Amino acid sequence: MAGKAITQKNIGKLIISSEDSRELCFLLIYSVCELEAFSNLAAKAISRVPKKDTISPDFVRAMFYGTITYAYSIDFLIKHIAKSDVEKMDGVIRSIVRMSVWQFVFSSKVPEFAAVFQAVELTRKYSPQACAYVNAINRKITNTLADKFNLSQYKAEIECSLKPEIYGVFKKSYGKDRALSIGRALLEVNGFSIRYNTSKISQDALIRELEQEGIFSSSGYFMNEALHINECEMEIDKSKSFEDGSIFVQSEAAMLASRIANPKSKDRILDICSAPGGKTTHIAQIVADDCQIDALDINESRLELVKQNIERLKLNSISCSIADATTLGTNPDFEAKLSSYDIVLADVPCSGLGLLARKPDIRRTITYDRIVELLEKQRVILDNASKFVKPGGSLIYCTCTLNVDENENQVKAFLDRNPYFYTESIEQYLPERLIINSDREVCIKNGYITLFPDVDNSDGFFICRMIKRLE
């Protein structure tokens, strides 16, 4: 008897009709790992599933994100202990077995017999011919000694659940000890942050307002306009504060980029990769909407997000246009704007290695070859962005990665090609809490800062401020 088929067309209906926590989690994992859905969008589906006594949203989230985050480590354990190659399994079986191993290894609340039983029942529903196979794999793993589940005894990339080629980027960039510290920190999911409009509402008032809706928050770690969300009983974008434009979901690291840009009233500003509009709208709010911002993006649907956020935040200083940042310097529509902006912001496409805690999909999708491709795109975008900076103006380059080749080395290569740009200290723009040691002081004096998850309670993020020489 054939099991219930899962396709792109019916996955949504199957998720909505899930009968229990494990079935819901299995379908979400399958949608991400086999159907290429984004984990954040899949996770949103949890809130749309009708409430049932058999479904615990918190347990589903923990198991879903845990399985996606630790997939590389889980696959290693399956091969090491059960002698089975996950890559050769059918997608249904692969998803079920990965989820089972997460319960065995990473959850102390799930009895092993319950996890095994539920795995076999799920298999019976979606791939009945494989019931005996799934049961055998699970039994091999549960019958092994518990000390084999201790990931710290294996190679560092297994402990950090990163492909060797990606862990190698951290090791090359920061050395053996720091790579391990960063890798461990990127396994910890620690809530998220929001930016609030300080001219519209006080921090205390906002904390109370959010609490009334089941959203519990505290002061940000280093940005004055940030709140850290510790617990959220509803989707943040359904809150009154979000709908009335008081808040914007944004990391503190990304907020810092706007402060380092140091916008002034009446400035002309170009944001060449603006979607979804976090930095663009933040800059506008910093100067009380008294500036002129051109927000560009190559993707029409993502640019629509910028427009929606501008409207929600009730800002008037931002104009949006579709444009390709890699060819902007030769775009005739922008020829008259060359060398005319006080600030040009280039938040370039990158490997996203600083976001692994919040976006576990990246662990699965990023490759070293993809990073090499991105290096060239970053170079081209940075060169194009520089053409629009007026003498005395600033060029802000930032990424959400922790790869030195995409960060410091990219900036160094740009400055070597473009001697009419230089860097200067950014200390005056930084919260004192971020000036943590002598190594960072050197970086700050050289015009850049790298934020790390293990020392800054932050996404991994890189920001550099460059100035164009006066002619």
Side-chain angles (χ1 to χ4, degrees):
M1 184 178 72
K4 185 174 288 190
I6 307 174
T7 66
Q8 289 279 10
K9 290 185 177 180
N10 73 358
I11 185 72
K13 291 181 179 179
L14 291 173
I15 287 171
I16 294 297
S17 61
S18 299
E19 295 180 359
D20 57 45
S21 292
R22 287 180 178 83
E23 182 179 18
L24 174 56
C25 187
F26 155 69
L27 290 168
L28 294 175
I29 291 168
Y30 188 94
S31 72
V32 170
C33 295
E34 307 300 329
L35 300 180
E36 303 299 323
F38 291 112
S39 62
N40 62 326
L41 298 179
K44 279 193 172 184
I46 297 172
S47 63
R48 295 194 291 270
V49 175
K51 291 185 178 180
K52 300 174 184 176
D53 292 340
T54 54
I55 293 180
S56 166
D58 289 344
F59 178 60
V60 174
R61 287 189 188 91
M63 183 160 44
F64 170 65
Y65 276 111
T67 303
I68 299 298
T69 298
Y70 280 97
Y72 182 78
S73 305
I74 288 170
D75 290 357
F76 166 81
L77 291 174
I78 294 168
K79 188 172 184 178
H80 182 65
I81 297 172
K83 311 302 180 186
S84 297
D85 189 344
V86 178
E87 294 305 315
K88 294 180 180 179
M89 294 178 183
D90 171 78
V92 167
I93 306 309
R94 181 163 45 238
S95 298
I96 291 173
V97 172
R98 281 174 171 167
M99 189 175 74
S100 297
V101 174
W102 179 84
Q103 293 171 85
F104 302 148
V105 178
F106 300 101
S107 175
S108 59
K109 298 179 180 179
V110 183
E112 287 183 352
F113 73 86
V116 174
F117 175 78
Q118 290 295 336
V120 173
E121 289 302 297
L122 268 175
T123 308
R124 196 181 312 281
K125 184 172 183 176
Y126 290 95
S127 186
Q129 71 279 7
C131 285
Y133 178 62
V134 168
N135 184 63
I137 290 176
N138 281 326
R139 292 299 180 190
K140 281 183 182 179
I141 294 173
T142 56
N143 288 337
T144 195
L145 296 174
D147 62 2
K148 287 200 173 184
F149 296 158
N150 181 3
L151 297 180
S152 63
Q153 68 185 293
Y154 304 114
K155 292 181 178 179
E157 55 261 34
I158 293 167
E159 180 180 353
C160 298
S161 196
L162 288 168
K163 292 179 283 190
E165 62 185 301
I166 302 305
Y167 185 77
V169 170
F170 290 143
K171 193 173 177 181
K172 177 185 173 185
S173 295
Y174 305 106
K176 181 179 177 181
D177 292 341
R178 284 288 288 130
L180 183 57
S181 178
I182 292 167
R184 286 170 173 168
L186 286 168
L187 290 169
E188 301 297 324
V189 181
N190 189 26
F192 62 96
S193 63
I194 59 173
R195 186 186 84 232
Y196 69 95
N197 189 342
T198 56
S199 65
K200 187 172 184 178
I201 191 169
S202 70
Q203 185 179 101
D204 290 342
L206 178 58
I207 289 174
R208 290 193 299 270
E209 185 175 292
L210 291 172
E211 191 170 330
Q212 290 173 2
E213 297 186 271
I215 301 170
F216 301 93
S217 59
S218 56
S219 298
Y221 294 121
F222 52 83
M223 295 299 292
N224 292 333
E225 59 265 63
L227 281 183
H228 185 76
I229 305 301
N230 305 307
E231 184 180 346
C232 205
E233 296 176 359
M234 67 178 294
E235 291 185 48
I236 193 78
D237 58 3
K238 298 295 191 297
S239 68
K240 175 181 176 293
S241 300
F242 185 90
E243 291 177 348
D244 71 14
S246 294
I247 64 174
F248 191 105
V249 178
Q250 186 180 32
S251 72
E252 288 189 71
M255 294 179 214
L256 183 63
S258 300
R259 289 294 176 183
I260 290 175
N262 192 35
K264 305 292 186 187
S265 180
K266 310 301 182 185
D267 272 354
R268 294 191 68 207
I269 299 161
L270 177 64
D271 185 351
I272 64 172
C273 302
S274 65
K279 298 175 188 67
T280 286
T281 56
H282 189 197
I283 286 172
Q285 289 182 331
I286 289 172
V287 295
D289 209 21
D290 184 26
C291 62
Q292 179 185 333
I293 302 177
D294 288 330
L296 314 180
D297 206 89
I298 192 173
N299 187 300
E300 186 173 1
S301 61
R302 283 177 57 77
L303 193 66
E304 188 60 34
L305 291 176
V306 182
K307 294 177 182 178
Q308 291 171 9
N309 283 317
I310 292 168
E311 183 177 355
R312 182 174 60 83
L313 298 175
K314 300 176 178 62
L315 297 168
N316 300 306
S317 60
I318 307 169
S319 299
C320 296
S321 301
I322 296 174
D324 184 349
T326 64
T327 60
L328 194 62
T330 57
N331 187 326
D333 293 337
F334 289 87
E335 186 175 356
K337 298 182 179 182
L338 291 168
S339 300
S340 68
Y341 290 94
D342 298 282
I343 299 169
V344 176
L345 177 64
D347 184 2
V348 299
C350 70
S351 59
L353 299 183
L355 305 180
L356 295 179
R358 290 195 295 111
K359 296 185 177 182
D361 318 62
I362 298 170
R363 295 175 184 271
R364 179 176 54 87
T365 59
I366 194 65
T367 64
Y368 187 75
D369 287 343
R370 175 60 181 148
I371 292 174
V372 171
E373 292 174 5
L374 286 166
L375 289 172
E376 175 61 16
K377 178 176 281 191
Q378 291 159 4
R379 183 192 68 78
V380 173
I381 291 176
L382 195 48
D383 283 346
N384 273 278
S386 70
K387 297 175 182 179
F388 292 88
V389 183
K390 75 178 189 181
S394 59
L395 173 60
I396 310 301
Y397 175 79
C398 48
T399 75
C400 51
T401 189
L402 291 171
N403 177 12
V404 168
D405 284 342
E406 296 177 76
N407 297 340
E408 292 96 322
N409 291 348
Q410 192 71 269
V411 168
K412 182 180 183 302
F414 170 79
L415 294 174
D416 288 344
R417 293 192 305 274
N418 300 278
Y420 44 90
F421 276 88
Y422 65 95
T423 60
E424 61 183 12
S425 175
I426 57 172
E427 183 174 0
Q428 62 181 308
Y429 311 118
L430 298 181
E432 188 176 345
R433 189 170 182 176
L434 291 179
I435 306 174
I436 55 175
N437 55 40
S438 58
D439 288 341
R440 177 159 287 174
E441 287 176 356
V442 170
C443 297
I444 291 168
K445 287 178 181 177
N446 287 323
Y448 68 90
I449 184 171
T450 306
L451 300 176
F452 295 96
D454 57 333
V455 296
D456 296 308
N457 290 308
S458 167
D459 290 337
F461 210 84
F462 176 83
I463 309 164
C464 180
R465 176 185 170 94
M466 293 169 275
I467 310 299
K468 187 174 183 179
R469 299 182 192 278
L470 292 169
E471 294 176 346

